[in-house]
Every structure is written in C-alpha cells, then in structure tokens.
Amino acid sequence: DAGSSVEEMEFNWDEYLEDTGATAAPHGSFKHVDTSLQNGFAPGMKLEVAVKSDQNTYWVATIITTCGQLLLLRYDGYGEDRKADFWCDILTADLHPIGWCQQNKKILKVPEGIKDKIPDQEEFLQRVLKGACSAPANLLEGLHRGKNPLDLIAPGSRLELQNLRDSLEAWIVTVVENVGGRLKLRYEGLEDLDKFDQWLFYLDPFLHQVGWAAQHGYSLQPPLAIRSLRSEADWQEILKKVKEEEEESSVPTDLFKDKPVIGVHSFSEGMKLEAVDPMAPFVICPATVLKVYNDKYFMIEIDDLRPERASSQRYVCHVSSAGIFPVQWSLKNGLHLSPPPGYPGQDFDWADYLKQCGAEAAPQSCFPSLTSDHGFKENMKLEAVNPVDPEEVCIATVTKLKDSYLWLQLEGSKKPVPECIVSVESMNIFPVGWCETNGYQLRPPRKAIVNKQKKIAVVQPEKQILSSRTVHDGLKNQELNSSDSVVINGKYCCPKIYFNHRCFSGPYLNKGRIAELPQSVGPGNCVLVLKEVLTLLINAAYKPSRVLRELQLDEEAAWHGHGETLKAKYKGKSYRATVEVVRTADRVADFCRKTCIKLECCPNLFGPQMVLDKCSENCSVLTKTKYTHYYGKRKNKRIGRPPGGHSNLEVAMKKPNKRRKRRKHFFVHKKKRSSTSVDNTPAGSPQGSGAEEEDDQDESELSHSLAQDRDKRKRKLRTFSFSDDENKPPSPKDIKMEVAEKLQLDSNPLEWSVADVVRFLKSTDCAPLARIFLDQEIDGQALLLLTLPTVQECMDLKLGPAIKLCHHIERVKLAFYQQFAN
C-alpha cells in the first residue's frame, strides 16, 4: 500500500531497532569491515617531516591521530608534551617515509625546541627507530598520495580470481564496482555481459593480485562456464592485452596484507564429512572429498545418490573454508542433517551410510576448532548478502547460533529465502548502517514497522484529519484551498497551528529547521494535532532531548490537560517523557503561548495565529539576552545556545564531562548502535557534549555589544527567506546581502595557538563551532590548511555551515597573505 511504500523509502535503522525491540550486532564482530576502514596511516607510525623553522632540514615525527587527509604529528623528542603538536595535509606537506632522507642525501636535524633534550642525535634516532613502523611510502608519494587504500581498487582495476567450482585455475577479473571493499567483478573478455558477474569482498582468500597464478604455479584459464563463449585464440589475445596494460590497472600489494593466510590441510580423497553448499547455504548435507590438489586445496562434492543426476554441486575448499564439519556434528548440536537425494528412507544414519559407501569419516583433527566467542546473540540485527541474489543486501536477524555459525532470516528480499547458515567470519555479513555509510541500497523490510501517517491521518465519516506531511505536500502543490479544508466540529477540534518561522526561535530551537517545517498542521483532534506539532518542534531542536525535558509534565501544572508520551533521539540515545497536551480547542492558544515561553522563544513562534509581516511581540529587535529577560526563566547560568558541536572524531578526542544534572522523571534507553551509523543531528548545529550534561561554565563570555552586533549581522542575512503567504522565492531586488569587512589581524595566524583560533571563531557567527576546533586542537597552522572538502569530511558538517566556516577561514588566509606573507 502507499503508506508502506513511503515507509520503505524512509527506512531508518534506529527507528526499526526501537520498534522491533532488537539490538544491532556489535561492530567489532565484523573483523573484515574493521580492516577495510583502516586508511593506511595509524597512530604510532613514524615519518620524516620538513622542520618548520628550517625547510631544508627534516626530523622524525610520530602520527598522533588521523582525520581524513590530515595527520596530527609530534616531533620525536617531545615525549608526552602536546604543546608542539601540529597538523599536516598529506597532499601538500613535505612528508616522507623513514629512510627517505638517507636515500636522497637530505639532512636530519633536531628542531630548536628540543635541542637540549637530545645531546646525541645518532644514538637517539637509533633508539626511537628500532622496531618502529614507517608510514607507507605509496601513500606519501606518487599517484596514491593522500588516498584511502580501499579507494585504490577503482573500477577498471584488474585482479585474479581462482575458479571456485571445478579446478584450481585462475582467470583475470575486472572491478566493475567497489562498495566499501565489496567488489563486483566481471571476467575479462565478457565486456558488457553481466550474467557471470560475482560479488566478493576484497579480502576473500580466492581473490589475488595480478601475477599470483604465475607466481604459484597455477595456469590462467577462463572458467568452464564461459570458455565456450570465445575461441582459444580470442582468450590468448585477451591475456596478451591484459599483460600489456598491467601497470595501468594493477592494485597495490599492501592492500592484500591483511588477507587470511591459508593453512595446510590433512584431508584425503574419499573422506566423508558434513557440509553446507556456499551457493545455497540453507541445509547441512553429507559430502565427500572428491579430489586433493595439494596441501592447501581440495575439492568437496555434496553427495547425490540419484543415478540420473544432471549436475553435481562441487567446490574448492581450504582448511579454513566455512561450512565444513566433521561427521555427526549436526547430531551433537541438535540440528537436522538433510539426507542425500536418492537416499532410501527418511532417517539418515552415518554408521550405515559409511558402511554402505565403504568410506571413512574425516577425523576431527582435519577441522579447525570452532569458537563461540564472537559477540553475536540471538535476535540481533545486521545486514547480509542474499546468497540467491548477491546484488541484494538485506536486513538479517540471528535466529540461532551454534559454535561459530549463525542462522540468519533475511527480510525484504525480492523472492523469499530460507534461513541461511553463515560463519561468523563470513565476508558477506555487515554491521547495521554499513549500506547507508557506503551509499548502497539496503533492501528494506516488506511491511512498514511504523507508519507515521497513521498517527495523524485518521479518516472518519464526514471528517478528516491531515498529517503535517499531507498538509505540507498539499501546500507545496497549491492544491489545498478553502473548498478542500477539513470539517471541524465540536470543542475537541483544534484549529490550524501555524509555524511562524520569522519569529525569534530562542536558544533551543534551530531556526533553519523551523523554516523547513510545514506552514501549518491541522485542523483536527486537539491531542493529535498538538502532539504532531510538539514532535516537529522537538525534532527541530539543537538538542531534542533538552527540549523534551523542558516540555515534560510538571506535577504543579496550572491547567489540567492530557498526558501524552513523546520521544526524542539524540546522539544514539532514545528519550521518552510524558508531556501535557490540552484536549479542548478553547485552550489551544494559551497552551501554545505558554509552551513558547517555556522554550524561551517568541510567544508567536507557533500557534493558531499566522504572523504575516510583523510580529505583534516585535521579537525581531530583541537580542537573546533581552528576550530571555522579558519572557525567559531567568536562570543563573548563561543563557543561549549550548556550546560545542560534534565531529567524527569526538569518541577518540573528547574528555567526558562528569558533572551531570539531577534528572527528573526522565528515562533514557541507551540503544546499541553501530559506529558506522550516522547521527541524525545536523552536523554543525550547536550542541553540547551530551544531552544530560551541564553546559560548560568555563567558556569565556562574549561581550554584550558583540552579541548584539552578531545578531544584527545574522538578521540582515536572514531577510533571504520565503514569505509566509506566497510559495515563491523573492525577486533579486528584495534580497539584501552584507559584504564582509576586510579583516585586520593583530598577530600572524601561523603563530596562533588553539586558544587563539577558538577566540577568533567566537568573534564570528560560527561561534558554536569553536568547540570542534578546541576538541581537535586545531592551531593557526592547521587552520590555514583547512579547505571546504576537508572541513565537510573531517568535521562532519553540512554544506551550509561548512561554507560559512570556510568563508571566515578564507578571510584569515587573505589577511595573512596581505599582512604577513612578505
């Protein structure tokens, strides 16, 4: 139905986990994903860096942390002293691997700041470089400089893939697509024929760098399935062409250093075992070791006793291959073993079968020991590849666990799939949010768990209540006119509630988000309409949990309303509180006004009155300080937006603030959340370090006049908003823009400390972002290295705040060139 399709488009893992009461499988359980996220540079690696004070000399530095293409470095000799740490951009800085100076006859010289700590340079270098790990040379120099290693497997790259089905031969494959390390591969020579394409994770043991087959004594032959598509001469011509283009399409060897090492097996031909066919991993069947190639590889065939069988299910294995078990493993674990097709009778017995076949069971010593220490539990959710259609990645639920194997129920696949048996080390399972992070379509569940429309869009005979989304869509299409308006009867019917986004939004609500809300909600049942209004406001807050706390039901409430449970999400936590909502139309206006005052915003920000041009409260001329004095709650602590921000490094860099407020009746349900999940709070929105933490008291106060000036600047720029009564943008002559004044600097930004950078940002309209710079210890040099892509990626900012921030950084750069560059 339509509602369901809307929900499918808007699938959200957080909401789904909350609605199903399930938890996400821990991110650390997916080792192949952790490996793929390593960018080649790691804290502790050493490199040789040009000394700032003397560009002709170099010194050894250690990587402290990484942030995209930026590295935070510390010269060796400073020990634990952080004062001289500095940021470098891999693409522009003079960085080299250890040993580069010696090879290129460059001078290694101790920087001035630590000369007295290092009396003997040679002895010091020998000591610090002993057993040290150098930063990878290929990521510091040449074409791959500054790139994420995984990005080097680009479409068009070539690899060698071992034949999994009928022999040990390998053939060249071309990378068609790279999704977070999961590669879509096409056999060389098939051009646009995608019928034989395969999806494999780049760390798969059967996938190798070009040249692997020749190096290990295997022949390069196309698989039997495609061999007949071309003549032998054509295949040889293709091979010749690949060898000529090897340089252009090769993939760096370093990428495969984390591949699982294949051990030596002890299987013999004819041995019997239990196995799961990797191409149809739904049942455990008896199987036979059909052929032993060498001490690493052997072939298994799923047993089939039918004399007329058309084809056999056989595949190449190694000692660590998933889905091979000793005889009786199913019985010992209480699992069903599917008898071979053609087996007489339903009750399969291994002793009789071995006797009948005249075969021996593979001893227990042939199989690797299985572990149950992996972090997965029943009912956990994850993302998994559909074995029937590897293009699809579906939501999966763990239904059963045995040793290191999972039984997964896939949801949302185009065709229903039975439960899959998967190893915990499979490279076809991924943490919650992996598809979203890598821009790949996750198959959503067939039925919507929550249909948001149903909460408001209640249809009754003679009367209809529209949801805010319906109202908004109707307004957008100019379809909602007076003849379509909803019939309102009785005292319980709420009039339209308008969002007057030009009014003052206060310290809690994000003005930009308020402007994106529908023009109005309702009319309809009071409780339903007001609940929708409050939900929209909570979601438009910098810190939704804080607004929910402000709104929650107070025992000494002045009016007797109707308690409703509302929810908020913030930083991976889910909050619930009971909020008072009035039930009758005559009290709606008073309710809206009092709620506005609670939120320290203009009393007309939302309510039954539409503000056309000028607010009756004249809120546009009031600063935040004055406004709170008139309407706010006169708190002792500093009034205003909570300081801070968030970045993708906050877990690693922030020190937790241990002071916490006493909670009221406010319940927090901590949700399990994958580290790949994305915070729904818009990056760059001012917010504190946690929903329940006190606003930091040690932030330096801005002067009253500075706050007024900044508010004036903001208001001038905000005249660029759409009018309430018209659905079209203003003409260019109505748009007023303020030209930024030329910046005069008192000191050289190259010498700015982190505190100086923070002080500068606080004097701009990007003051709320100052916390990020403080947390990431960005000094003047690092500031001058920042660019728009770096700011967006490393600080996790949306385009708007990022452009604003970069505008101020460019002003500093311009002033630096004009005042200090000479």
Side-chain angles (χ1 to χ4, degrees), residues 795-809:
M795 297 187 179
D796 207 8
L797 296 183
K798 285 193 174 174
L799 186 59
I803 288 173
K804 254 169 118 180
L805 177 60
C806 284
H807 166 68
H808 293 297
I809 294 171

PDB file of all heavy atoms in Angstrom, residues 795-809:
ATOM      1  N   MET A 795      35.061  17.313   9.813  1.00  0.00           N
ATOM      2  CA  MET A 795      34.247  17.870  10.896  1.00  0.00           C
ATOM      3  C   MET A 795      32.791  17.439  10.768  1.00  0.00           C
ATOM      4  O   MET A 795      31.955  17.809  11.574  1.00  0.00           O
ATOM      5  CB  MET A 795      34.339  19.394  10.904  1.00  0.00           C
ATOM      6  CG  MET A 795      35.743  19.868  11.181  1.00  0.00           C
ATOM      7  SD  MET A 795      35.803  21.640  11.398  1.00  0.00           S
ATOM      8  CE  MET A 795      37.544  21.858  11.729  1.00  0.00           C
ATOM      9  N   ASP A 796      32.506  16.680   9.689  1.00  0.00           N
ATOM     10  CA  ASP A 796      31.164  16.127   9.521  1.00  0.00           C
ATOM     11  C   ASP A 796      30.107  17.221   9.476  1.00  0.00           C
ATOM     12  O   ASP A 796      29.071  17.120  10.103  1.00  0.00           O
ATOM     13  CB  ASP A 796      30.866  15.150  10.658  1.00  0.00           C
ATOM     14  CG  ASP A 796      29.865  14.096  10.220  1.00  0.00           C
ATOM     15  OD1 ASP A 796      29.558  14.067   9.017  1.00  0.00           O
ATOM     16  OD2 ASP A 796      29.381  13.338  11.074  1.00  0.00           O
ATOM     17  N   LEU A 797      30.424  18.311   8.754  1.00  0.00           N
ATOM     18  CA  LEU A 797      29.494  19.439   8.677  1.00  0.00           C
ATOM     19  C   LEU A 797      28.664  19.363   7.408  1.00  0.00           C
ATOM     20  O   LEU A 797      29.135  18.884   6.379  1.00  0.00           O
ATOM     21  CB  LEU A 797      30.263  20.771   8.674  1.00  0.00           C
ATOM     22  CG  LEU A 797      31.070  21.116   9.920  1.00  0.00           C
ATOM     23  CD1 LEU A 797      31.685  22.489   9.768  1.00  0.00           C
ATOM     24  CD2 LEU A 797      30.212  21.081  11.165  1.00  0.00           C
ATOM     25  N   LYS A 798      27.432  19.870   7.481  1.00  0.00           N
ATOM     26  CA  LYS A 798      26.624  20.006   6.278  1.00  0.00           C
ATOM     27  C   LYS A 798      27.185  21.157   5.442  1.00  0.00           C
ATOM     28  O   LYS A 798      27.958  21.980   5.935  1.00  0.00           O
ATOM     29  CB  LYS A 798      25.167  20.251   6.647  1.00  0.00           C
ATOM     30  CG  LYS A 798      24.496  18.983   7.144  1.00  0.00           C
ATOM     31  CD  LYS A 798      22.999  19.148   7.207  1.00  0.00           C
ATOM     32  CE  LYS A 798      22.350  17.813   7.564  1.00  0.00           C
ATOM     33  NZ  LYS A 798      20.918  17.938   7.767  1.00  0.00           N
ATOM     34  N   LEU A 799      26.738  21.229   4.177  1.00  0.00           N
ATOM     35  CA  LEU A 799      27.326  22.193   3.252  1.00  0.00           C
ATOM     36  C   LEU A 799      27.183  23.634   3.733  1.00  0.00           C
ATOM     37  O   LEU A 799      28.132  24.409   3.666  1.00  0.00           O
ATOM     38  CB  LEU A 799      26.682  22.023   1.868  1.00  0.00           C
ATOM     39  CG  LEU A 799      27.295  22.866   0.742  1.00  0.00           C
ATOM     40  CD1 LEU A 799      28.770  22.528   0.567  1.00  0.00           C
ATOM     41  CD2 LEU A 799      26.555  22.642  -0.561  1.00  0.00           C
ATOM     42  N   GLY A 800      25.991  23.997   4.241  1.00  0.00           N
ATOM     43  CA  GLY A 800      25.758  25.391   4.665  1.00  0.00           C
ATOM     44  C   GLY A 800      26.741  25.858   5.721  1.00  0.00           C
ATOM     45  O   GLY A 800      27.502  26.814   5.506  1.00  0.00           O
ATOM     46  N   PRO A 801      26.776  25.182   6.914  1.00  0.00           N
ATOM     47  CA  PRO A 801      27.722  25.595   7.948  1.00  0.00           C
ATOM     48  C   PRO A 801      29.179  25.508   7.487  1.00  0.00           C
ATOM     49  O   PRO A 801      30.003  26.331   7.863  1.00  0.00           O
ATOM     50  CB  PRO A 801      27.461  24.597   9.088  1.00  0.00           C
ATOM     51  CG  PRO A 801      26.109  24.051   8.836  1.00  0.00           C
ATOM     52  CD  PRO A 801      25.893  24.099   7.369  1.00  0.00           C
ATOM     53  N   ALA A 802      29.487  24.516   6.628  1.00  0.00           N
ATOM     54  CA  ALA A 802      30.872  24.352   6.158  1.00  0.00           C
ATOM     55  C   ALA A 802      31.288  25.543   5.303  1.00  0.00           C
ATOM     56  O   ALA A 802      32.403  26.062   5.438  1.00  0.00           O
ATOM     57  CB  ALA A 802      31.010  23.049   5.374  1.00  0.00           C
ATOM     58  N   ILE A 803      30.379  25.989   4.412  1.00  0.00           N
ATOM     59  CA  ILE A 803      30.702  27.146   3.548  1.00  0.00           C
ATOM     60  C   ILE A 803      30.892  28.396   4.403  1.00  0.00           C
ATOM     61  O   ILE A 803      31.817  29.187   4.186  1.00  0.00           O
ATOM     62  CB  ILE A 803      29.586  27.347   2.495  1.00  0.00           C
ATOM     63  CG1 ILE A 803      29.658  26.226   1.447  1.00  0.00           C
ATOM     64  CG2 ILE A 803      29.708  28.708   1.828  1.00  0.00           C
ATOM     65  CD1 ILE A 803      28.513  26.214   0.466  1.00  0.00           C
ATOM     66  N   LYS A 804      30.018  28.564   5.405  1.00  0.00           N
ATOM     67  CA  LYS A 804      30.130  29.729   6.289  1.00  0.00           C
ATOM     68  C   LYS A 804      31.480  29.739   6.998  1.00  0.00           C
ATOM     69  O   LYS A 804      32.161  30.762   7.079  1.00  0.00           O
ATOM     70  CB  LYS A 804      29.015  29.677   7.333  1.00  0.00           C
ATOM     71  CG  LYS A 804      27.900  30.659   7.099  1.00  0.00           C
ATOM     72  CD  LYS A 804      26.751  30.351   8.000  1.00  0.00           C
ATOM     73  CE  LYS A 804      26.463  31.488   8.939  1.00  0.00           C
ATOM     74  NZ  LYS A 804      25.334  31.173   9.815  1.00  0.00           N
ATOM     75  N   LEU A 805      31.845  28.571   7.525  1.00  0.00           N
ATOM     76  CA  LEU A 805      33.106  28.448   8.253  1.00  0.00           C
ATOM     77  C   LEU A 805      34.278  28.727   7.323  1.00  0.00           C
ATOM     78  O   LEU A 805      35.204  29.469   7.663  1.00  0.00           O
ATOM     79  CB  LEU A 805      33.212  27.043   8.856  1.00  0.00           C
ATOM     80  CG  LEU A 805      34.511  26.709   9.594  1.00  0.00           C
ATOM     81  CD1 LEU A 805      34.730  27.661  10.759  1.00  0.00           C
ATOM     82  CD2 LEU A 805      34.481  25.272  10.103  1.00  0.00           C
ATOM     83  N   CYS A 806      34.238  28.142   6.115  1.00  0.00           N
ATOM     84  CA  CYS A 806      35.345  28.332   5.161  1.00  0.00           C
ATOM     85  C   CYS A 806      35.461  29.781   4.710  1.00  0.00           C
ATOM     86  O   CYS A 806      36.555  30.248   4.389  1.00  0.00           O
ATOM     87  CB  CYS A 806      35.169  27.409   3.958  1.00  0.00           C
ATOM     88  SG  CYS A 806      35.603  25.726   4.384  1.00  0.00           S
ATOM     89  N   HIS A 807      34.330  30.497   4.696  1.00  0.00           N
ATOM     90  CA  HIS A 807      34.377  31.925   4.355  1.00  0.00           C
ATOM     91  C   HIS A 807      35.275  32.669   5.349  1.00  0.00           C
ATOM     92  O   HIS A 807      36.133  33.476   4.958  1.00  0.00           O
ATOM     93  CB  HIS A 807      32.958  32.497   4.385  1.00  0.00           C
ATOM     94  CG  HIS A 807      32.904  33.997   4.389  1.00  0.00           C
ATOM     95  ND1 HIS A 807      33.285  34.754   3.302  1.00  0.00           N
ATOM     96  CD2 HIS A 807      32.540  34.881   5.362  1.00  0.00           C
ATOM     97  CE1 HIS A 807      33.150  36.043   3.602  1.00  0.00           C
ATOM     98  NE2 HIS A 807      32.693  36.142   4.844  1.00  0.00           N
ATOM     99  N   HIS A 808      35.123  32.354   6.645  1.00  0.00           N
ATOM    100  CA  HIS A 808      35.955  33.014   7.658  1.00  0.00           C
ATOM    101  C   HIS A 808      37.407  32.550   7.566  1.00  0.00           C
ATOM    102  O   HIS A 808      38.331  33.354   7.768  1.00  0.00           O
ATOM    103  CB  HIS A 808      35.390  32.739   9.054  1.00  0.00           C
ATOM    104  CG  HIS A 808      34.055  33.388   9.281  1.00  0.00           C
ATOM    105  ND1 HIS A 808      33.864  34.755   9.259  1.00  0.00           N
ATOM    106  CD2 HIS A 808      32.829  32.842   9.495  1.00  0.00           C
ATOM    107  CE1 HIS A 808      32.590  35.030   9.465  1.00  0.00           C
ATOM    108  NE2 HIS A 808      31.933  33.883   9.599  1.00  0.00           N
ATOM    109  N   ILE A 809      37.613  31.266   7.268  1.00  0.00           N
ATOM    110  CA  ILE A 809      38.991  30.760   7.112  1.00  0.00           C
ATOM    111  C   ILE A 809      39.665  31.459   5.932  1.00  0.00           C
ATOM    112  O   ILE A 809      40.835  31.856   6.015  1.00  0.00           O
ATOM    113  CB  ILE A 809      38.973  29.224   6.918  1.00  0.00           C
ATOM    114  CG1 ILE A 809      38.475  28.542   8.199  1.00  0.00           C
ATOM    115  CG2 ILE A 809      40.366  28.708   6.560  1.00  0.00           C
ATOM    116  CD1 ILE A 809      38.210  27.049   8.058  1.00  0.00           C
TER     117      ILE A 809
END
